[in-house]
Amino acid sequence: MKAIVSIENATKDYRLGKVVVNALRGVSIDVARGEFLSIAGPSGSGKTTLLTLIGCVDTPTTGTVEVAGRDTAKLSERELTSLRLNTIGFIFQSFNLVGVLDVFRNVELPLLLQRSLSAGERSKRVLSLLERVGLMEHVRHRPNELSGGQRQRVAIARALVTRPELVLADEPTANLDSVTGQNILDLRKELNRSEHSTFIFSTHDARVMSHASQIVRLADGKLAEGISTGPTVSELHEVSSAKA
Amino acid sequence: MAGFLDTFGVVAQIALRNLFASRWKTLIVGGIIGFGAFLVVLGTSLLDSVDRAMSRSIIGSIAGNIQVYSSESKDDLDVMGGFSFDANQIEPLQDFARVKRTLLSVPNVSKVVPMGINGALVLSGNTVDQALARLRETVNKQKAAPNDSALADAYASEKDHVRQIVSVLSGDVEKARKLHDEKAIAAEDISVMKRASAAEFWADFDADPFDHLEFLENRIAPLATDADMLFLRYVGTDPKAFAQSFDRLTIVDGQAIPEGKRGFLFSKYTYEEQAKLRTARAFDKIHDGLKVRGKKIKGDADLERIARECGNQAKELMLQLDAPKTRLFRDKLQAYLKSGESDVRKLLDQFLRLNDENFDSRHAFFYRELAPSLELYRVRIGDTLTIKAFTRSGYVQSANLKVYGTFAFKGLEKSPQAGAMNLMDLVSFRELYGFMTEDKQREISAMRAKSGAKEVKREDAEAELFGNAEASAPAPAAAAPDDLGTALSGLSRTGSARAASTAAYAADQLTSGVILNAAVLVHDDKKLPETIAAIEAAGKRDGLPLKAISWQKAAGLIGQFAVLMRVVLFTAVLIIFVVALVIINNALVMATLERVRELGTLRAIGAQRRFILSMLVLESMVVGLVFGALGTALGAALVLFLGHQGIPAANDVFMFFFSGPRLYPALSGQNLGIALGIVLIVSVISSFYPAFIAMRVSPREAMQSED
Ligand SMILES: Nc1ncnc2c1ncn2[C@@H]1O[C@H](COP(=O)(O)OP(=O)(O)OP(=O)(O)O)[C@@H](O)[C@H]1O
Ligand SMILES: [Mg+2]
């Protein structure tokens, strides 16, 4: 089976006036369908940048990024948008909820943009997701009436609501307590099983990494070491020390 | 479809929530839009109403729906304006009967009124001349009947009056001499005055009244400057047809010009404005200002001026006072003013110093106690007015016309525009304009027979007149051409015998003969352009050089007023909306820049550019609709309120534009639609640029951290 994400020697430069920041310096990764890739790395190492390339929010400066078999650099603005809407669910590092809409509407938004479900179906899908992330009491709340963790859960629900093939998450459990964090991971597993979705999370959370089928490490815009499958011993050690 | 509605639902929801979230911006933008809509509704409604009212005024007072005149004319016809002495050069149409037949052959034409418009200066009401004339007449009569005691009394009283006049005038000259440079007053005037005021002059008067009268007539009368030039604009017409076609015409004083009679009708406005004593006019105007318009003299520039001028008008009253009236006025004014002053002039001066406190009482006193002893108008109803006008070819022609009364147009009583036109019979008009009438022709041939003058064609005569007025004295101009000086000598109160000979004319003279223009009334005023075309076509068919113009054109500048106001309104609206566009645009651009992250998120989630575009345009449209509707409703409410209450005409000029003392604006659905439409278009256009910016927001913006 062909990889759902295939990155070939991708670089990304940010130009700030005369200064050029090389956020990514030649990254190659293949992610097969149904995998759970975890991207680790210190702050500023390029995790978010890599996710934007995979998430079709941006295109690489050089190299190629293929998502669902399509070279993102060759797609039009419309096609990229449509790919984002229908294939990808993105959980932003700072959640990016629409402030003027309540929780329900925020989660429903991608479905409304898709225009494929009836109101009833939408409502069912949204509410069941909200239940899973434990926000049933906050359905009609606005984002600014929620805590950071609650907002993050809304963002997660919004990313999952279209049942995307590819779920990208930028530090999805950073603000969550361990129980909710575990809930998210369970939900991921379930979706992975039912929809055969692929997950790519950037994270510092060893527990998240422990669930990953593949972990890449970024350092200074490059893969720090070879692709590893499953958690390394030291990481497992980290997990146990985190638990302690 | 359901999908579309749902998407629209979320677009609307985001849009509305956003509007609500940035309340103050929405309110500013909405306020501007609402104000614009309000202004458009109010402006267009008022203009439409003024337009309608003015068309009623113009059509109903003289123009009719269509004016017809000769296409060979050098100038355009202007029935309302043209306050200058140079009448427009309008070529005559030779035979009204033919013109009328042609016009009535056009199906939409209902009535045709023959007309000619011209103006003349008329000198009126020199009290001194009149007093001297009366005295001279009495002296003449006394010669015939030396022992008549009634005549002796009249003689004494009239002599007293003249003496009083002389003392008033000499007082004036004395005052002027003190006030101004000594040199400003001719030494001769002073010596003349001295002689006339001297006791010896009056002691000798009885011995040789004619010699003394001559001196007074030639030397003193010219110094009295109370004589007034009346500039009368008049329309010569068939009085009966005119009254029938312009049914707002009402006779105010006296009666209509009887059928088949020559005569003159003052417009009430001109009569009041020009022929009334200045003091009485001042009382009227201030009374009107205080009572009708609710103003105060103090602080109102107009009324203050009128009151001040009134204070200097005692002389005009003094000249009317003979000995008994002088006594009467002294007694009444002394009692009223509680003054011991015995000089009537001083009493009058004091009485005429008007202010807000004393006005009501003095106004009442003036009309109750003083006016009955005064001649309030310099021309009385029933007098014969000698009008001397320049004919087309430039010589002076005169006609003695009986003043039958005054008229006004209902609702336009106080309008200077509608009131500028006086009425006379068409036959007299033709004479004054230099056209032959049958009567005149007969008169001329009689004169010619007497003087043995050779037959001269009119054209030749006019040519000769230009060359040498003296030589062509017996020309067909009938009444020998006067020089300008005598032309302006004006009103004759004793001319009734003279006028009687030409007072009647044959009926067919009105229905045929020369006219300058004709007013056409139509059945259906919505078909004016077609009717105008049909009239000109009928003219061509019948070999008549007819030019037809709408009432707007015929009314000249005044007719264009509504068009002008419309241009002004639309310019104002345009400016307001351009400014609104800029402000709204800026506000929306600012709002968009503040929302970059949200827009980027929407894009990153998968919203297409057109979603963003429709969202922003919808936001603007909602603001436009809501506030536009609010402004429109407010404007409509105000128009309805004004339509109920009426807008009072601020001054006499507005009476004409309002076609009455109040304008009652009406609301039309069309104006509401226009207002809403403009507002919507403006709000949508103003959202284009910000929407464009919003559309270009990259999904990358979603990745920016919140601060
Ligand atoms: N839009 C941008 N313009 C300029 N530089 C950028 C931009 N986004 C990221 N960078 C730079 O690129 C580098 C990688 O940033 P990135 O956000 O990918 O790091 P990260 O691994 O996600 O860090 P963290 O764990 O703190 O979120 C950093 O040096 C950052 O300053
Ligand atoms: Mg990051």
Side-chain angles (χ1 to χ4, degrees):
Chain A
M1 193 189 195
K2 203 174 183 302
I4 184 159
V5 176
S6 172
I7 303 169
E8 193 59 47
N9 204 19
T11 67
K12 183 68 192 177
D13 299 340
Y14 290 114
R15 218 167 276 277
L16 288 171
K18 285 194 173 148
V19 187
V20 177
V21 181
N22 307 115
L24 289 179
R25 308 157 180 257
V27 174
S28 304
I29 307 172
D30 282 319
V31 185
R33 261 172 221 280
E35 259 201 272
F36 178 11
L37 173 68
S38 178
I39 303 170
S43 180
S45 60
K47 301 184 294 292
T48 300
T49 305
L50 185 57
L51 282 176
T52 59
L53 295 188
I54 300 168
C56 302
V57 168
D58 209 346
T59 49
T61 310
T62 63
T64 56
V65 174
E66 276 182 32
V67 176
R70 312 185 70 182
D71 184 346
T72 57
K74 294 196 175 116
L75 295 181
S76 70
E77 183 68 44
R78 276 181 76 99
E79 289 167 321
L80 278 175
T81 306
S82 154
L83 203 58
R84 287 197 297 268
L85 177 63
N86 298 312
T87 311
I88 300 166
F90 206 122
I91 301 160
F92 301 92
Q93 192 166 13
S94 43
F95 325 136
N96 293 38
L97 302 181
V98 178
V100 293
L101 297 179
D102 63 18
V103 167
F104 184 91
R105 285 287 184 211
N106 260 291
V107 177
E108 192 191 22
L109 191 53
L111 296 179
L112 287 164
L113 293 172
Q114 278 187 335
R115 297 193 201 175
S116 54
L117 296 184
S118 71
E121 288 170 306
R122 285 200 308 267
S123 171
K124 238 169 77 190
R125 182 104 56 102
V126 171
L127 290 176
S128 77
L129 259 177
L130 286 178
E131 181 157 27
R132 289 307 298 271
V133 296
L135 283 173
M136 282 311 276
E137 272 111 81
H138 301 94
V139 171
R140 290 299 162 200
H141 285 219
R142 295 277 196 89
N144 61 1
E145 296 158 355
L146 301 176
S147 73
Q150 288 168 330
R151 277 183 230 181
Q152 191 166 26
R153 282 180 276 159
V154 179
I156 291 163
R158 184 178 65 186
L160 301 181
V161 78
T162 56
R163 296 184 180 153
E165 286 175 65
L166 182 58
V167 178
L168 306 178
D170 208 351
E171 317 248 2
T173 57
N175 296 291
L176 301 183
D177 60 274
S178 57
V179 177
T180 324
Q182 189 56 50
N183 262 343
I184 301 300
L185 291 172
D186 293 346
L187 183 62
R188 187 209 66 81
K189 199 177 280 174
E190 200 184 302
L191 269 174
N192 182 251
R193 226 174 272 142
S194 61
E195 311 284 326
H196 208 64
S197 302
T198 309
F199 292 84
I200 300 176
F201 286 11
S202 86
T203 189
H204 294 108
D205 188 342
R207 192 176 39 179
V208 173
M209 284 188 259
S210 72
H211 284 77
S213 59
Q214 186 184 353
I215 297 173
V216 293
R217 238 167 245 294
L218 276 179
D220 205 12
K222 278 184 172 162
L223 291 185
E225 51 195 73
I227 298 162
S228 59
T229 44
T232 58
V233 177
S234 61
E235 277 157 2
L236 282 174
H237 182 72
E238 273 177 50
V239 173
S240 53
S241 61
K243 271 177 186 164
Chain B
M1 193 59 214
F4 169 78
L5 276 182
D6 291 332
T7 317
F8 179 80
V10 76
V11 167
Q13 198 164 11
I14 298 179
L16 283 180
R17 294 270 166 81
N18 258 315
L19 289 179
F20 198 70
S22 46
R23 246 155 296 186
W24 63 268
K25 226 166 281 162
T26 309
L27 279 177
I28 289 177
V29 170
I32 295 170
I33 286 179
F35 179 68
F38 172 81
L39 212 75
V40 171
V41 169
L42 191 66
T44 51
S45 296
L46 287 184
L47 261 183
D48 284 356
S49 312
V50 167
D51 212 4
R52 272 194 301 276
M54 263 186 42
S55 75
R56 275 202 303 279
S57 292
I58 295 173
I59 293 170
S61 63
I62 177 156
N65 300 106
I66 295 171
Q67 278 280 335
V68 173
Y69 64 107
S70 168
S71 58
E72 287 156 6
S73 306
K74 283 198 201 79
D75 294 332
D76 294 333
L77 180 68
D78 182 354
V79 294
M80 305 293 308
F83 288 91
S84 72
F85 205 35
D86 309 312
N88 283 1
Q89 288 282 307
I90 301 298
E91 277 303 311
L93 290 163
Q94 289 304 330
D95 185 1
F96 175 60
R98 266 186 76 198
V99 172
K100 187 172 178 179
R101 220 177 306 126
T102 300
L103 290 175
L104 286 175
S105 77
V106 174
N108 195 25
V109 171
S110 72
K111 284 178 187 139
V112 180
V113 185
M115 287 183 178
I117 294 170
N118 199 8
L121 276 172
V122 174
L123 202 72
S124 84
N126 189 330
T127 330
V128 183
D129 283 341
Q130 288 158 22
L132 287 171
R134 266 199 301 277
L135 182 55
R136 184 180 274 275
E137 214 173 298
T138 309
V139 172
N140 272 328
K141 281 186 193 151
Q142 247 185 335
K143 251 193 169 163
N147 295 322
D148 190 323
S149 69
L151 277 180
D153 285 351
Y155 172 76
S157 156
E158 282 160 10
K159 198 177 83 176
D160 260 11
H161 185 195
V162 170
R163 196 172 172 175
Q164 164 117 322
I165 288 173
V166 169
S167 83
V168 168
L169 293 177
S170 98
D172 277 359
V173 168
E174 189 60 24
K175 218 189 276 168
R177 202 173 59 83
K178 276 183 195 149
L179 272 173
H180 303 289
D181 192 346
E182 197 114 6
K183 277 171 268 173
I185 311 294
E188 206 189 326
D189 288 353
I190 296 167
S191 72
V192 162
M193 269 303 167
K194 271 212 182 99
R195 185 179 157 201
S197 347
E200 308 90 73
F201 182 86
W202 294 97
D204 296 349
F205 194 90
D206 296 351
D208 188 357
F210 288 114
D211 182 46
H212 285 80
L213 271 172
E214 201 155 312
F215 174 78
L216 291 172
E217 280 162 357
N218 293 334
R219 311 304 300 270
I220 298 295
L223 295 178
T225 48
D226 78 315
D228 259 321
M229 297 271 228
L230 305 183
F231 176 61
L232 298 180
R233 230 176 122 69
Y234 50 82
V235 55
T237 185
D238 174 345
K240 197 175 151 201
F242 190 93
Q244 279 168 356
S245 302
F246 300 104
D247 53 12
R248 290 172 83 174
L249 182 123
T250 46
I251 300 296
V252 183
D253 308 303
Q255 59 170 113
I257 303 172
E259 240 173 291
K261 288 272 172 60
R262 288 162 183 263
F264 190 86
L265 282 184
F266 267 103
S267 99
K268 180 69 175 168
Y269 183 86
T270 306
Y271 192 59
E272 290 289 314
E273 202 63 37
Q274 294 202 40
K276 201 168 191 177
L277 282 188
R278 288 199 199 84
T279 37
R281 190 75 195 124
F283 272 112
D284 292 351
K285 280 190 163 167
I286 296 176
H287 183 75
D288 185 64
L290 299 186
K291 293 288 161 303
V292 180
R293 302 190 209 289
K295 291 180 182 167
K296 287 256 170 282
I297 299 175
K298 201 171 165 60
D300 186 274
D302 240 14
L303 294 183
E304 275 181 353
R305 178 182 51 76
I306 294 169
R308 200 168 48 243
E309 282 171 10
C310 181
N312 301 326
Q313 297 296 341
K315 176 178 150 195
E316 136 193 294
L317 300 180
M318 285 300 290
L319 293 177
Q320 283 202 20
L321 301 184
D322 55 14
K325 281 183 188 168
T326 305
R327 271 194 302 282
L328 183 74
F329 270 46
R330 178 166 48 227
D331 294 347
K332 285 189 168 176
L333 286 170
Q334 274 178 348
Y336 177 80
L337 295 170
K338 299 189 181 62
S339 163
E341 175 64 55
S342 61
D343 184 342
V344 180
R345 175 70 184 253
K346 288 200 175 117
L347 285 167
L348 276 173
D349 278 341
Q350 192 190 337
F351 177 74
L352 292 175
R353 242 170 273 132
L354 302 173
N355 58 42
D356 284 309
E357 284 70 48
N358 67 24
F359 180 78
D360 286 345
S361 151
R362 292 195 182 183
H363 175 260
F365 182 82
F366 177 80
Y367 274 107
R368 195 180 60 239
E369 303 291 338
L370 305 185
S373 313
L374 293 167
E375 207 61 81
L376 282 182
Y377 295 91
R378 289 194 289 272
V379 184
R380 289 172 305 185
I381 308 300
D383 280 350
T384 297
L385 197 61
T386 301
I387 297 176
K388 304 203 173 189
F390 286 96
T391 65
R392 301 196 305 140
S393 36
Y395 57 92
V396 173
Q397 181 65 279
S398 76
N400 297 315
L401 296 177
K402 184 172 172 187
V403 176
Y404 277 100
T406 68
F407 71 92
F409 292 105
K410 260 183 238 122
L412 298 175
E413 290 85 353
K414 291 194 173 149
S415 158
Q417 285 75 28
M421 198 62 84
N422 303 284
L423 257 178
M424 71 167 65
D425 64 281
L426 186 56
V427 177
S428 306
F429 175 86
R430 286 182 191 138
E431 261 175 40
L432 285 171
Y433 207 61
F435 294 125
M436 283 302 96
T437 57
E438 279 174 38
D439 287 349
K440 213 68 187 178
Q441 249 153 358
R442 263 195 302 281
E443 207 177 294
I444 292 158
S445 42
M447 275 172 60
R448 201 175 285 127
K450 248 200 251 169
S451 64
K454 60 183 190 307
E455 176 86 31
V456 194
K457 273 195 184 156
R458 207 186 90 212
E459 289 76 13
D460 300 341
E462 290 189 357
E464 270 183 59
L465 277 167
F466 280 119
N468 186 345
E470 214 60 47
S472 57
D482 297 289
D483 64 74
L484 183 58
T486 53
L488 298 177
S489 75
L491 172 76
S492 159
R493 287 182 192 238
T494 52
S496 51
R498 235 188 317 150
S501 63
T502 52
Y505 53 81
D508 68 325
Q509 288 204 32
L510 282 185
T511 50
S512 62
V514 179
I515 59 165
L516 290 184
N517 54 309
V520 171
L521 281 94
V522 299
H523 295 294
D524 180 0
D525 63 3
K526 289 193 181 61
K527 288 192 198 144
L528 279 194
E530 295 93 313
T531 312
I532 285 171
I535 286 174
E536 293 191 342
K540 278 217 182 76
R541 184 195 63 207
D542 297 350
L544 287 170
L546 293 187
K547 185 180 166 95
I549 53 174
S550 68
W551 60 267
Q552 280 113 325
K553 275 198 194 146
L557 270 182
I558 293 172
Q560 306 300 313
F561 175 80
V563 179
L564 190 83
M565 286 309 292
R566 217 165 271 279
V567 170
V568 169
L569 177 78
F570 276 113
T571 314
V573 166
L574 200 77
I575 291 170
I576 286 175
F577 279 119
V578 165
V579 170
L581 231 127
V582 171
I583 295 176
I584 295 173
N585 178 75
N586 278 347
L588 289 182
V589 167
M590 264 165 63
T592 304
L593 292 180
E594 277 172 21
R595 286 167 66 187
V596 160
R597 216 174 99 87
E598 180 195 309
L599 296 170
T601 303
L602 285 171
R603 295 280 285 119
I605 290 172
Q608 294 287 0
R609 282 183 165 169
R610 56 157 194 273
F611 177 91
I612 305 290
L613 181 75
S614 54
M615 192 172 86
L616 266 96
V617 171
L618 188 80
E619 271 180 36
S620 294
M621 266 169 69
V622 168
V623 173
L625 261 177
V626 170
F627 287 88
L630 218 74
T632 306
L634 227 71
L638 184 58
V639 170
L640 285 179
F641 172 76
L642 291 176
H644 182 68
Q645 297 281 307
I647 306 166
N651 58 43
D652 296 345
V653 176
F654 278 94
M655 294 263 186
F656 188 77
F657 296 140
F658 288 6
S659 193
R662 272 168 185 273
L663 181 72
Y664 296 94
L667 203 59
S668 82
Q670 198 191 341
N671 290 338
L672 299 184
I674 288 175
L676 261 184
I678 293 181
V679 151
L680 264 187
I681 290 171
V682 166
S683 51
V684 168
I685 290 179
S686 61
S687 74
F688 277 176
Y689 180 63
F692 177 75
I693 292 179
M695 220 172 68
R696 306 280 307 213
V697 168
S698 155
R700 274 195 306 271
E701 303 289 349
M703 312 313 290
Q704 306 300 327
S705 60
E706 254 162 302
D707 39 49

